[in-house]
Amino acid sequence: MLILPESQRIIHAPTKLRLVVIQLLVLAPLYLFIPLIASLISLAPLLWVFYCSYRNYSPKLNRWVLSAISIGAAIYVFVQFGTFRGKEAGVSLIVVMYSLKILESEKYRDLNLLITLGFFVHSMVFLFTESFFVLGYMFFAYGMIVYHLMIFNSVSAKRVSWKPSVKLLAYALPIVIVFFLFFPRLPGPLWRMPNQSLAGSGFSDMMTPGDINSLNLLDEPAFRVRFDKPPPQSIQFYWRGLVFEKFDGLSWSVSNLTRKQPLDFQMKSDNLLTYSVSLEPTQQRWLFALNAPVEFSEAATLLGDMTLTSQTRITDRVRYQVTSAPNVQYGFNLPDIVRQVNLAIPKDSNPLSVQWAREQYTRFNSDKGFIDFLLQRINTEPYYYTLTPPIMRENMVDDFWFEKQSGFCEHYASSVTLMLRAVGIPARIVVGYQGGRYNQVGDYFLISQKDAHAWLEYWSQGNGWTRIDPTAAIDPSRIDESLLQEVESRGFLFDALPEAMKLEIGTFDLLEQWVDSVNSFWQEWVLDFNQSRQWDFMSFLYLDKIPRPYLYLIVLTVIGFLFYYIARKFRGETQKLDKVGEAYLRFLRKLAREKFEKKPSEGCLSFVHRVLETRPEWRDKLMPIVRDYHALRYRESLGTEGVVYDRFKRNVSHLKLDS
Amino acid sequence: MSIKNAFLNKIEVWQKARAPRANTIALNQKNTYIFPTRYGFLLLLTVILMGVGATNYQNNLIFVATFLSMTIGLLAILLTYNNLVGLTIACHPPKPAFCHENLRLSLTVYSKKEHYAIGVGFKGQNIQTLDIESESENRQEISLPCQRRGEFLLPKVQCKTYYPFGFLQAWSWLFFDTHYIVYPTPIEPDSYNANNAGRGSENEEMVRVGTEDYYGLKTYQKGDSLSRIHWKSFASGKGLQTKQFVDYQSNPYIFDFDAFETRDTEKRLSYLCYLCLQANKDNSVFGLQLPGQMIEPEQGDEHLHRCLTALAKL
């Protein structure tokens, strides 16, 4: 078949249809993430080509019409997003232009261009999703690209099998894994990309309890924690995130002033817990840890309010290591500025509660007694725990404490904190997560968004800061039934739940654990893999001792061997010879040593005849072998193969050709 | 320009040193070259782009996509190379062509394994692409326009493949140890000076070995046709005798180089070529009178070839 020079080759209709199929495959997952109208604009030219081929039209458009459509599409994208920068706008533009290109693709070079760019265009889907299944789809799409490349480069499409492309991807996989694990990575982006943020979680740096009349318990993972050794049963999982010290009467917020104050602590025992946290992106800088973090990764900083902060915003999953000392006491010396902030109540804020607290305090005259009284009141009076509290008035604590008496952790924590401050006890709110579900399959604790919690700490002379969780004081009978399971895991201050209400781990839970485990593995080893994980991995393999250049030499060698192996596999010429073939090959080699090479076009007999023309004296030696070979190869079964083969083999081995 | 030419010459010398002339050439590491096509470079660019994107977004799945594209590109090197290496290409002696026509060269391509989309062709000419079945002889004819008459060594033949992905081209230059002959273009002469046409003497009877009339017997020689063996004399114990036939031709044509008005050598050769062809078509006996050489009148295709070759080489 005559193949024209590439510049003259025209894409014929069937080829164009295949190309459109490839474009559809490449673009399909992207349509889920760009605006519907952009998807429709992108689909239109592809469907137009289909329609034209069905109607036998030429899908070619007038050059001016095509230019107008392209400019129109670009304008649409600009109007939709107000910019071409940014992820959505950029991807939409590329998607639209990529599919419009088919309308002016007449030559083979357009085809090659479109299909090679397909690799790039398809990979953009991972800007929007990190799903395992989309990765699987990518392999399928790349396989189809490869298969169609083979078709486009072949003489006839019919002769191209899909098997080599499957084989190719199968062989590519180990190489991709090696590259993934060992290819040198940079620690961070080369430059910041616009619009990188994803929607963060519901955890915020400000707390206004009265405003909220419903809290969504998201069942999304917040972070996962793996302990070096099993934590003691007694440990309570209060994952400290932020401390709110400033109160303006409505909202609680972080006090930047006190955070900068020095922090002192004193260990009671050396019962240390070491664990690693892999945190989902929050778009914020705070990190979560158990009290009190004494050792932690370099990227973290310990602040004066005993919280950890990261130097950069958490825009991707991060992993950090913390060692906590749960029995540590901290903040013995309360700087004046901190004391002031933690006693501050805005003027005229919640006058009823302030008044009430001061009156009650006089009955006890001890901090401990007053605190116990407050908790006792929450337990015995009709205080309810609900995620759908009524909206409360300006003086939220007054409204909550005396009137509504139902709310969630933030209401309880802010009420108690305010009343402690009212009687001169420094107190502040701590938010973070509480609890965590143990995953047996993956041996880690999963902390979800719904575990978000708020509690408080108060300061006392000699003891420093002490935690109180007023929510735990609520009587279990007054907790929304839907919340029982969540709250139960936190434990209660006063009453234990009836045994019957505790749920056993069922099969479904186990399945759920498996799913989360797989997810966690996926995140840990695929999505979270970065330069530091790469180094961890190398040190796990004891490769970190090897100097870098040698290491890369080793890796390149490994990849080289993989390629060599694959090359052999693909060559497919390592034919398996049967025993007759092997003996025959030996026979040919013996003749070759005497400078008689069998030509590819020659049969056995014609070759031997040629040999005999120059060496007629070998007739008696060679002819029996030829006869036996023919008998073994071409004659119908006579039941004497064994005998014939033995003789054939013996003759070959005893063959001596003296020149 | 001369530097470029010198450079190209050097390359050709180097290529030739790596590929000695032969009529059957096996493609191996030594004579096979591979280089990316522009789509290969495009893929490289794409991979770099994806790598930068993956780094900037710290997106590991884009890294997977990048590495997969890269691996496909790297494996393409192996596959493209494998698709060419292992071929054995034999060249059949080409039939002579006329000047300004195409020389048609028949190649036999053989391999133990299957190959796809193997292109063969003379440098700068159309490439003929064929699939190679394993263990069988695949024939392909390629053509070369002939601009000048004469006898030439076959120019290098390119054997090339882009398969499977078009990201790379693997090629080999085949230097066949074969000559080909280009006859002059046949042109009908306006006038042929019959007076000058050197006829043999009118009365002399030309006796040529031929097929028409029985002439006598001669002793059998290797190569004589079996159908002409005189079996009767063999039976009577006189050994193998062959019957001899002759053609009688009273007036053989002798075409003379100098018998044309034009002084243009090429034109004269073209005229002579035409006359020879016509004479052969008419089954006439003819000869050639060329400057410095004389071809005795004879008859038949082989004789024609001899005459036209003489014209080509003049």
Side-chain angles (χ1 to χ4, degrees):
Chain A
M1 185 180 147
L2 177 66
I3 301 283
L4 288 167
E6 202 192 11
S7 54
Q8 294 166 29
R9 287 173 76 191
I10 305 282
I11 306 180
H12 296 294
T15 308
K16 200 170 239 183
L17 276 190
R18 285 180 187 277
L19 186 57
V20 170
V21 169
I22 286 293
Q23 283 187 302
L24 274 175
L25 278 170
V26 161
L27 293 175
L30 281 157
Y31 289 156
L32 303 175
F33 302 101
I34 60 173
L36 181 67
I37 295 176
S39 305
L40 292 178
I41 294 176
S42 156
L43 264 173
L46 305 182
L47 296 179
W48 167 249
V49 172
F50 264 116
Y51 176 78
C52 287
S53 102
Y54 173 69
R55 281 299 184 92
N56 269 332
Y57 296 156
S58 161
K60 202 175 169 184
L61 292 182
N62 182 302
R63 196 152 52 93
W64 295 107
V65 175
L66 187 60
S67 308
I69 292 177
S70 308
I71 293 168
I75 290 174
Y76 156 74
V77 172
F78 191 80
V79 168
Q80 173 86 26
F81 297 99
T83 173
F84 287 135
R85 282 168 60 79
K87 201 167 65 183
E88 277 86 2
V91 171
S92 299
L93 189 69
I94 292 173
V95 165
V96 167
M97 292 303 153
Y98 181 67
S99 52
L100 281 173
K101 173 74 183 162
I102 185 76
L103 294 181
E104 59 152 17
S105 296
E106 296 300 320
K107 299 276 170 61
Y108 243 67
R109 57 157 189 267
D110 300 317
L111 177 144
N112 277 316
L113 179 83
L114 274 178
I115 215 161
T116 310
L117 284 180
F119 288 116
F120 169 74
V121 174
H122 185 66
S123 74
M124 293 193 307
V125 74
F126 296 120
L127 294 176
F128 302 98
T129 176
E130 297 198 314
S131 155
F132 180 79
F133 300 103
V134 177
L135 188 75
Y137 181 87
M138 183 200 77
F139 271 82
F140 168 70
Y142 277 27
M144 288 298 276
I145 291 179
V146 161
Y147 172 53
H148 280 87
L149 273 173
M150 287 166 69
I151 288 178
F152 296 145
N153 282 292
S154 70
V155 177
S156 89
K158 276 178 222 141
R159 287 191 42 127
V160 178
S161 151
W162 51 270
K163 279 177 196 153
S165 32
V166 174
K167 215 163 119 184
L168 177 86
L169 284 186
Y171 287 132
L173 196 61
I175 297 174
V176 170
I177 291 172
V178 172
F179 273 134
F180 188 83
L181 292 176
F182 295 102
F183 196 87
R185 300 282 190 97
L186 292 174
L190 296 165
W191 60 84
R192 283 211 71 76
M193 304 303 273
N195 265 9
Q196 215 160 328
S197 67
L198 296 158
S201 71
F203 197 91
S204 87
D205 60 348
M206 213 184 219
M207 186 175 112
T208 313
D211 277 357
I212 302 165
N213 74 332
S214 103
L215 191 67
N216 276 324
L217 287 187
L218 298 170
D219 202 6
E220 280 168 16
F223 52 93
R224 296 183 175 81
V225 180
R226 176 168 288 144
F227 286 91
D228 279 10
K229 53 178 192 248
Q233 289 291 318
S234 60
I235 194 80
Q236 282 186 300
F237 286 151
Y238 280 91
W239 304 99
R240 196 180 177 93
L242 281 178
V243 173
F244 294 145
E245 292 171 299
K246 255 173 35 192
F247 183 51
D248 65 359
L250 284 174
S251 310
W252 295 86
S253 55
V254 170
S255 156
N256 286 321
L257 202 64
T258 52
R259 291 181 110 182
K260 289 180 188 131
Q261 298 300 318
L263 177 70
D264 57 325
F265 49 85
Q266 210 176 53
M267 265 183 248
K268 273 186 181 169
S269 72
D270 52 357
N271 184 13
L272 295 177
L273 292 170
T274 302
Y275 50 93
S276 65
V277 179
S278 68
L279 178 63
E280 299 289 313
T282 57
Q283 312 304 326
Q284 304 288 352
R285 291 170 57 183
W286 54 65
L287 302 173
F288 298 91
L290 292 175
N291 265 357
V294 289
E295 270 178 48
F296 34 81
S297 312
E298 271 171 42
T301 316
L302 185 63
L303 298 171
D305 57 8
M306 191 55 105
T307 55
L308 286 177
T309 183
S310 154
Q311 278 150 15
T312 53
R313 283 177 183 268
I314 313 295
T315 52
D316 297 299
R317 268 177 222 88
V318 292
R319 176 179 310 274
Y320 54 92
Q321 190 117 24
V322 186
T323 302
S324 286
N327 296 324
V328 84
Q329 285 190 308
Y330 54 98
F332 296 103
N333 304 315
L334 196 63
D336 280 347
I337 178 77
V338 180
R339 176 187 294 272
Q340 267 173 36
V341 170
N342 282 295
L343 284 174
I345 300 173
K347 224 176 165 188
D348 301 331
S349 166
N350 298 293
L352 283 177
S353 317
V354 172
Q355 174 90 27
W356 180 83
R358 287 180 182 153
E359 279 169 17
Q360 299 299 322
Y361 185 70
T362 52
R363 287 168 49 199
F364 302 99
N365 246 338
S366 88
D367 294 357
K368 190 85 181 75
F370 178 64
I371 291 163
D372 284 345
F373 163 73
L374 289 181
L375 296 177
Q376 201 61 236
R377 178 180 157 94
I378 291 169
N379 184 242
T380 50
E381 300 280 316
Y383 283 96
Y384 288 86
Y385 186 81
T386 175
L387 293 181
T388 52
I391 290 206
M392 294 174 209
R393 285 203 319 270
E394 196 176 322
N395 289 317
M396 171 252 138
V397 176
D398 287 359
D399 205 11
F400 167 73
W401 194 251
F402 303 110
E403 301 280 327
K404 305 290 196 307
Q405 295 193 332
S406 75
F408 46 87
C409 51
E410 296 187 359
H411 299 92
Y412 288 92
S414 45
S415 301
V416 172
T417 308
L418 182 86
M419 284 185 281
L420 290 185
R421 286 185 176 190
V423 300
I425 306 170
R428 59 191 186 185
I429 289 176
V430 186
V431 291
Y433 294 89
Q434 203 275 326
R437 271 198 301 167
Y438 180 61
N439 187 314
Q440 295 168 325
V441 183
D443 183 33
Y444 59 83
F445 286 87
L446 171 69
I447 289 89
S448 315
Q449 290 300 346
K450 64 184 178 195
D451 296 322
H453 193 44
W455 59 96
L456 65 114
E457 339 181 271
Y458 71 97
W459 186 87
S460 55
Q461 189 68 49
N463 287 324
W465 291 100
T466 312
R467 181 177 65 225
I468 314 172
D469 186 359
T471 321
I474 307 166
D475 189 282
S477 62
R478 293 198 299 272
I479 291 176
D480 262 10
E481 250 178 63
S482 60
L483 297 173
L484 260 178
Q485 204 193 337
E486 308 307 324
V487 178
E488 180 244 13
S489 66
R490 296 178 187 164
F492 293 95
L493 260 187
F494 297 98
D495 287 311
L497 272 179
E499 279 299 307
M501 297 187 79
K502 290 187 181 164
L503 298 169
E504 283 171 26
I505 287 189
T507 329
F508 188 71
D509 292 316
L510 201 65
L511 188 73
E512 221 174 297
Q513 286 188 359
W514 265 106
V515 170
D516 193 69
S517 219
V518 168
N519 240 325
S520 158
F521 178 84
W522 173 241
Q523 283 183 3
E524 195 168 323
W525 285 100
V526 181
L527 303 185
D528 288 354
F529 197 80
N530 55 19
Q531 194 190 41
S532 66
R533 296 279 298 153
Q534 192 174 38
W535 288 351
D536 289 351
F537 181 68
M538 299 239 194
S539 69
F540 171 73
L541 294 177
Y542 299 102
L543 291 175
D544 53 339
K545 306 280 187 295
I546 305 167
R548 271 301 125 99
Y550 291 110
L551 182 63
Y552 288 129
L553 209 67
I554 292 171
V555 171
L556 282 180
T557 315
V558 168
I559 290 175
F561 269 112
L562 277 173
F563 272 103
Y564 176 72
Y565 173 78
I566 292 165
R568 283 186 57 114
K569 278 276 164 190
F570 265 105
R571 199 166 293 161
E573 71 182 10
T574 44
Q575 283 175 332
K576 283 196 190 79
L577 288 171
D578 60 355
K579 50 186 187 173
V580 176
E582 275 171 17
Y584 178 57
L585 215 60
R586 229 178 306 142
F587 169 67
L588 289 184
R589 261 186 237 125
K590 283 193 171 178
L591 279 170
R593 246 175 269 148
E594 306 298 325
K595 307 278 183 280
F596 290 106
E597 294 266 10
K598 189 175 98 62
K599 290 182 193 151
S601 51
E602 268 177 328
C604 172
L605 189 63
S606 50
F607 168 56
V608 171
H609 275 307
R610 184 161 64 84
V611 174
L612 293 180
E613 265 177 35
T614 31
R615 306 302 292 258
E617 68 272 22
W618 288 350
R619 175 171 288 274
D620 295 342
K621 288 177 184 169
L622 301 185
M623 283 321 281
I625 294 176
V626 174
R627 265 197 302 275
D628 284 343
Y629 180 69
H630 276 250
L632 287 164
R633 273 282 180 260
Y634 307 114
R635 208 169 288 163
E636 297 274 317
S637 170
L638 296 169
T640 55
E641 284 84 16
V643 184
V644 176
Y645 170 69
D646 288 342
R647 189 174 62 207
F648 173 59
K649 194 180 157 194
R650 197 175 52 241
N651 283 341
V652 169
S653 352
H654 293 170
L655 180 64
K656 278 212 180 67
L657 299 168
D658 37 9
S659 24
Chain B
M1 203 55 200
S2 63
I3 293 175
K4 192 185 166 193
N5 279 341
F7 180 67
L8 290 178
N9 267 342
K10 272 264 186 278
I11 288 189
E12 185 132 353
V13 166
W14 179 71
Q15 283 172 343
K16 279 178 180 162
R18 293 169 70 84
R21 283 195 181 265
N23 277 335
T24 302
I25 296 172
L27 301 191
N28 52 34
Q29 291 157 331
K30 223 176 152 187
N31 54 16
T32 306
Y33 309 91
I34 190 163
F35 198 71
T37 58
R38 53 177 145 162
Y39 307 107
F41 285 113
L42 182 66
L43 181 73
L44 184 68
L45 189 75
T46 305
V47 165
I48 291 171
L49 216 65
M50 285 162 76
V52 169
T55 305
N56 274 358
Y57 284 97
Q58 289 286 298
N59 190 314
N60 276 338
L61 295 188
I62 298 185
F63 269 123
V64 174
T66 311
F67 294 141
L68 184 58
S69 313
M70 189 160 95
T71 307
I72 289 171
L74 291 174
L75 285 175
I77 301 174
L78 285 180
L79 296 181
T80 313
Y81 184 75
N82 267 350
N83 194 38
L84 198 64
V85 167
L87 287 172
T88 303
I89 300 162
C91 141
H92 300 260
K95 282 198 179 125
F98 291 99
C99 191
H100 302 302
E101 282 180 12
N102 283 340
L103 175 82
R104 308 193 65 80
L105 179 71
S106 212
L107 300 175
T108 295
V109 190
Y110 170 87
S111 177
K112 282 183 183 164
K113 58 180 180 177
E114 288 199 331
H115 297 254
Y116 297 90
I118 300 294
V120 280
F122 287 102
K123 193 187 175 188
Q125 303 304 320
N126 282 334
I127 299 275
Q128 299 285 340
T129 307
L130 73 160
D131 284 340
I132 310 297
E133 311 252 5
S134 65
E135 305 272 8
S136 70
E137 292 185 359
N138 304 266
R139 272 226 180 187
Q140 180 64 54
E141 225 174 47
I142 57 175
S143 57
L144 177 74
C146 302
Q147 300 300 337
R148 279 183 322 125
R149 69 184 170 83
E151 187 179 24
F152 305 100
L153 197 57
L154 212 57
K156 58 184 175 181
V157 174
Q158 192 179 31
C159 181
K160 181 173 198 172
T161 187
Y162 296 101
Y163 194 85
F165 305 137
F167 294 135
L168 293 127
Q169 47 192 330
W171 73 97
S172 182
W173 293 110
L174 311 172
F175 295 94
F176 288 117
D177 192 14
T178 297
H179 288 78
Y180 68 101
I181 291 166
V182 181
Y183 301 151
T185 321
I187 299 176
E188 189 175 358
D190 305 329
S191 62
Y192 179 58
N193 193 343
N195 297 335
N196 269 347
R199 291 253 170 120
S201 60
E202 300 280 330
N203 302 324
E204 194 182 325
E205 252 192 354
M206 289 292 297
V207 183
R208 311 284 318 143
V209 177
T211 52
E212 281 168 14
D213 300 302
Y214 179 69
Y215 186 63
L217 289 176
K218 71 177 185 77
T219 323
Y220 174 81
Q221 277 180 321
K222 212 172 169 184
D224 284 351
S225 170
L226 283 179
S227 64
R228 292 196 184 175
I229 289 174
H230 193 245
W231 295 107
K232 273 184 190 165
S233 50
F234 182 61
S236 57
K238 290 175 186 165
L240 274 175
Q241 299 283 318
T242 314
K243 290 177 273 188
Q244 252 197 318
F245 293 82
V246 292
D247 298 335
Y248 293 93
Q249 181 110 38
S250 54
N251 48 352
Y253 298 111
I254 305 283
F255 301 123
D256 188 354
F257 180 78
D258 293 321
F260 302 98
E261 283 169 8
T262 174
R263 306 217 52 84
D264 182 354
T265 311
E266 295 304 316
K267 271 242 172 84
R268 287 182 172 189
L269 292 174
S270 287
Y271 293 155
L272 288 176
C273 177
Y274 177 84
L275 291 172
C276 289
L277 285 171
Q278 283 302 319
N280 187 58
K281 211 167 149 194
D282 301 340
N283 256 334
S284 322
V285 175
F286 65 94
L288 273 178
Q289 174 65 59
L290 296 173
Q293 64 174 305
M294 162 80 190
I295 296 176
E296 290 298 327
E298 257 188 69
Q299 195 187 22
D301 287 342
E302 212 165 290
H303 173 65
L304 176 72
H305 172 65
R306 199 158 50 240
C307 293
L308 295 185
T309 306
L311 292 178
K313 286 183 179 174
L314 194 74

